[in-house]
Amino acid sequence: MYSEKVMDHFTNPRNMGEIENADGVGTVGNAKCGDIMRIYLKVENNVIQDVRFKTFGCGAAVATSSMATELVKGKTIQQALEITNAAVAEALDGLPKAKVHCSLLAEEALHAAIWDYAQKNGIVIEGLEPPKEDIHEEEEDEDED
Amino acid sequence: MYSEKVMDHFTNPRNMGEIENADGVGTVGNAKCGDIMRIYLKVENNVIQDVRFKTFGCGAAVATSSMATELVKGKTIQQALEITNAAVAEALDGLPKAKVHCSLLAEEALHAAIWDYAQKNGIVIEGLEPPKEDIHEEEEDEDED
Amino acid sequence: MKETIYLDHAATTPVKQEVLEAMLPFFTESFGNPSSIYSFAQDSKQALEEARETIAKGIGALDREIYFTGSGTEADNWAIKGVAESYRSKGNHIITSKVEHHAVLHACEYLEKNGFEVTYLDVDADGIVDLEQLKSSIKDTTILITIMFANNEIGTVQPIREIGRIAKERGVLFHTDAVQAIGHVPVDVNDLGVDLLSISGHKFYGPKGVGVLYARKTVKLKAFIHGGGQERGRRGGTENVPGIVGMAKAMELALADMEEESARQRELRDYVKERILEKVPYARLNGHPEKRLPNNVNISFRFIEGESLLIMLDMKGICASSGSACTSGSLDPSHVLLAIGLPHEIAHGSLRISLGESSTREDMDTLVEALVPIVEKLRAMSPLYEDFVKNNG
Amino acid sequence: MKETIYLDHAATTPVKQEVLEAMLPFFTESFGNPSSIYSFAQDSKQALEEARETIAKGIGALDREIYFTGSGTEADNWAIKGVAESYRSKGNHIITSKVEHHAVLHACEYLEKNGFEVTYLDVDADGIVDLEQLKSSIKDTTILITIMFANNEIGTVQPIREIGRIAKERGVLFHTDAVQAIGHVPVDVNDLGVDLLSISGHKFYGPKGVGVLYARKTVKLKAFIHGGGQERGRRGGTENVPGIVGMAKAMELALADMEEESARQRELRDYVKERILEKVPYARLNGHPEKRLPNNVNISFRFIEGESLLIMLDMKGICASSGSACTSGSLDPSHVLLAIGLPHEIAHGSLRISLGESSTREDMDTLVEALVPIVEKLRAMSPLYEDFVKNNG
Ligand SMILES: Cc1ncc(COP(=O)(O)O)c(C=O)c1O
Ligand SMILES: Cc1ncc(COP(=O)(O)O)c(C=O)c1O
């Protein structure tokens, strides 16, 4: 079902954990849908020095969180914001169709953490929107054609 | 499907054939339903001296004709009229449910031949009715319960 | 005991050894439910999807257009009732023919009781549907044409491509019951313009109890059997993995040597038909002489009844079939034989033999040898023959 | 590769060797169509009728009350839609429960779209339907009560006899989906007052793709799949003889040692349940503690999600199941777990293990040993656990 990369990131998640006194924390998703992601950021000079995550969710949710943190580590905030859910999925050698929403969740969690960082530091980042309440709203998965 | 007796009478039908100048001939059934039986009688002093049949129909139709002729041979007309379709079926060790109508046909063919004999000789036999046009009319086989 | 000569392949076929072998692991070893997520169930899931691919390829369809069912009958019911339900807002008229299998006819009759209007097209003396009547029957409310690919009794193959063209021109969906055609004649849904198509595994050396409904991706297909999310949410029920794998294997094998094998059977078919018509008077071939399944011979013998004939052949070890009502316990003979214009008594006296991969020329000779005296014997018993001889002698 | 510990018998079971052996002759040798009249087909016909007898006897029914289907799902659909159609003139109200299998729920929802009214009974925290609500829901227009025998997720066994009594008193037909019950608990249709009952072969070591609908002879049962005259004209389609023979054999074997084997599994069930609840904090048993299938354990682990749990168990060679939506690609967790009142996040973290004849005490120990560190690992990753610890620590 999952690619080897997904399984690797699921079983050996990178950057799993918390950051005490993080510069930014974002939590997205909800328990109703079965996945919640939280991302912690340590930012210095606009660069993501450290990043950690915690995830309640399926294998893909864990793996996308792990991959997303890998992709943004050491990047500037602007670079981090350019990383799309598609990039996360691609870096994992793809996701099953039903699991694409997990990669979206990872993107949203990252944005939420950056938003928090920006809020706390009075920075305005163009194009960055406040985290949505429930990122699943827009999706409907039935393949009626 | 069929009892051994039915198979025996089907493969070695007794009294199959015609009687020239028969004293009574009866033909019943119709091609629509897939069976037609004809019985020939030779009657002397109210006794059935000889009896023959021809049948277009299924295995059960042939066997019941054969058995019916066996049962009436040497009997008086009155005795012959007492032989019911159930008796024919029983003598054959039973018939599949869907084939019971064949035994009815044999009874009817016999009655038709006796009717013909009676007509030709100006005899009135109490209770004997003229042959029906189609003996299948009254039956309906669906087992809706 | 004498050997059995099985000449009833249109009724059912044995499962081929290779097919059975392909099925076996999925009963006892790789028995996982394809919907399960653990790796143990991946074998079943993969086998299921490979089977889907094989079957899709076999009829020129996409994988996602293949839906597994529990029989050819279910596929027919689903196609017809499913389209009826989905397209009811567009219209309530369905066109079929008088020679369809009961799976189609009875599904149509059911719909008639539920507010649908059904036109039953006539067929000509060879069993071919009347295309002019088809064209003139289509109206604004027509939502479906369902015409079988090849007839199970008389073997006549319908002009499917022409029907497909007419259906497309008029914007009407076209379903064909291809249960008897698969493995005998080429079937390509796009080439033929078919929108829905039914298949049954046990007619081409696959297992019983498994079938396929092909539905073009543009067809709005509602579920007929509601349940779990199997078959893309359109047919609930744990998938019959061994059965599906067997059916796919059987189709693969059947298609691999179809051209050759069909040619071989066609030759045997024509040989036995000629021999019978030559040796037995008052006999006629039913169905189209050329546009027919390579394995089907259907002959009516006047003055005799089919069941007696079958029993006597059975006693010689020959398995065949008949359109006589007596074989089914009902009273009316085959609706197909009546539709091609046979009078009742001739319809009752029909014999269908359907050849298979095991059939040989010797089998044909054995059949003819057995048949001739049986027909004679039954005619000698027949009051119809007696009358005929008296009137014509 | 490590050995697989299969603990998902509620999803499907392997076909037993004896069952497969009973089936084999009907694929390649005695492959005749049971409807054919020649003696070669008598083996199939006889096997079919013997299977019918075995199954009838197994549930205390008459032979003629047994109808073979292509799955448990088909049986459920037939029972519900069939009764709906036949009794529509009497009324349009159906009563079911919130914890039924999708085969029942989706059939009911289909009927709702077609003019029927359906009441979905609540269940209590253990998953038992509310009998008072049942009684008060019955009205003049109620034609059917359909309540499952035993739940496939949480194992709760419903008070079938009481429901049967209520149905009888009120003159309403009673259908029960006994797919999970057969072979585990005694089922006698007369004793229980059941009018219709569904069975699926692959849940008790029989083959996939074959099921049974029992319908009491007084029930007006219309065909659902229209076609040939099979199953007394009520279910068209060439009979799946090997499948049916296998299912009957499997039932025979399952019933033969049911008492013993159920007791054995019940003990294992309670053992493993105790051990898990003892070793893993923040865990709860779902379903009724006693009124449950002997082979079902369903436990929710707070703060973690089911699919991750299953994948990690799978990596240890353990096959299990979950009520988490993530296993099915949908977003809502099991309707059953929600119906017993679990909040979403707890429902997502459930694990179902279902034991079978191959299950041993070592398997239970292996499971527990594997489970403890997995739950710990997943909790360490969980933001929900983090919050919980912070708020309660
Ligand atoms: C309670 C219940 N009903 C119905 C079914 C459907 O059975 P099948 O998948 O054989 O159609 C299942 C199993 O999937 C079940 O557990
Ligand atoms: C033309 C045709 N359609 C449908 C069917 C039904 O197939 P099944 O018996 O597998 O349901 C058959 C065979 O019985 C058939 O010959």
Side-chain angles (χ1 to χ4, degrees), chain C residues 231-363:
Chain C
E231 301 298 299
R232 301 166 65 242
R234 290 183 176 80
R235 201 258 183 190
T238 305
E239 300 90 340
N240 176 359
V241 181
I244 289 166
V245 165
M247 173 168 58
K249 184 72 185 173
M251 188 185 269
E252 189 185 303
L253 295 173
L255 298 186
D257 70 349
M258 185 173 76
E259 214 173 317
E260 229 176 317
E261 179 59 22
S262 286
R264 192 188 75 86
Q265 289 186 22
R266 198 174 288 115
E267 205 184 301
L268 283 185
R269 173 196 77 184
D270 292 338
Y271 171 74
V272 73
K273 175 199 72 178
E274 295 298 335
R275 293 266 314 202
I276 294 173
L277 295 181
E278 193 183 293
K279 297 255 181 174
V280 184
Y282 315 119
R284 57 158 276 163
L285 178 73
N286 296 316
H288 197 285
E290 287 100 38
K291 292 174 193 159
R292 75 184 300 132
L293 288 172
N295 70 334
N296 174 292
V297 180
N298 187 308
I299 292 180
S300 285
F301 301 97
R302 281 180 69 185
F303 318 122
I304 68 172
E305 190 276 332
E307 194 210 80
S308 329
L309 182 59
L310 292 191
I311 299 180
M312 291 199 167
L313 284 173
D314 183 28
M315 289 166 62
K316 300 274 178 196
I318 297 168
C319 303
S321 160
S322 162
S324 176
C326 262
T327 63
S328 63
S330 91
L331 297 173
D332 277 325
S334 147
H335 64 284
V336 176
L337 298 176
L338 297 181
I340 60 171
L342 294 195
H344 275 83
E345 75 270 22
I346 297 183
H348 274 292
S350 78
L351 173 73
R352 176 189 74 182
I353 65 166
S354 43
L355 315 181
E357 299 195 3
S358 61
S359 304
T360 62
R361 186 169 282 250
E362 288 95 80
D363 292 347

Side-chain angles (χ1 to χ4, degrees), chain B residues 14-15 19 22-29 36-43 46-55 61 63-89 101-120 125 127-132 135:
Chain B
R14 328 291 201 262
N15 310 308
I19 297 175
D23 297 314
V25 183
T27 305
V28 296
I36 297 175
M37 276 183 206
R38 178 172 297 163
I39 286 185
Y40 298 85
L41 297 176
K42 191 93 215 153
V43 184
N46 198 40
V47 170
I48 295 172
Q49 297 292 348
D50 198 7
V51 52
R52 300 274 151 157
F53 81 91
K54 286 225 174 162
T55 288
T64 51
S65 324
S66 166
M67 181 53 88
T69 57
E70 278 287 272
L71 291 177
V72 301
K73 210 171 179 177
K75 298 273 159 57
T76 65
I77 293 291
Q78 282 67 29
Q79 286 170 325
L81 283 171
E82 276 163 22
I83 288 162
T84 61
N85 76 307
V88 174
H101 71 101
C102 295
S103 61
L104 256 164
L105 198 62
E107 183 187 313
E108 293 291 326
L110 186 65
H111 288 197
I114 295 176
W115 173 266
D116 182 49
Y117 160 73
Q119 289 286 99
K120 278 179 180 155
I125 300 174
L128 184 64
E129 289 179 27
K132 279 182 256 165
I135 73 135

Side-chain angles (χ1 to χ4, degrees), chain D residues 303-316:
Chain D
F303 318 122
I304 67 172
E305 191 276 333
E307 195 211 79
S308 329
L309 183 59
L310 292 191
I311 300 180
M312 290 198 168
L313 285 172
D314 183 28
M315 289 166 62
K316 301 272 176 198

Side-chain angles (χ1 to χ4, degrees), chain C residues 71-73 76 101 148 152 177 179-180 200 202-203, chain D residues 237-238:
Chain C
S71 65
T73 299
D76 283 341
H101 189 268
M148 71 200 312
N152 47 305
D177 174 344
V179 166
Q180 291 289 340
S200 178
H202 70 102
K203 305 287 188 182
Chain D
T238 305

Side-chain angles (χ1 to χ4, degrees), chain A residues 2 7 10-11 13 16 18 31-34 36 38 40 54-59 62 98-99 101 136 141, chain D residues 303-305 307-308 311-312 315 326-327 329 331-333 344-345 348 377-378 380-384 386-387 390:
Chain A
Y2 289 134
M7 287 303 289
F10 171 61
T11 50
M16 201 278 289
E18 299 165 49
K32 184 161 183 288
C33 301
I36 296 175
R38 177 173 297 164
Y40 298 85
K54 285 221 173 163
T55 290
F56 164 88
C58 63
V62 172
K99 299 294 188 177
H101 70 102
H136 284 130
D141 207 42
Chain D
F303 318 122
I304 67 172
E305 191 276 333
E307 195 211 79
S308 329
I311 300 180
M312 290 198 168
M315 289 166 62
C326 262
T327 63
L331 298 173
D332 277 325
H344 275 84
E345 75 270 21
H348 274 292
K377 182 171 177 181
L378 287 171
M381 268 196 231
S382 169
L384 296 177
E386 180 186 316
D387 294 347
K390 278 180 186 152

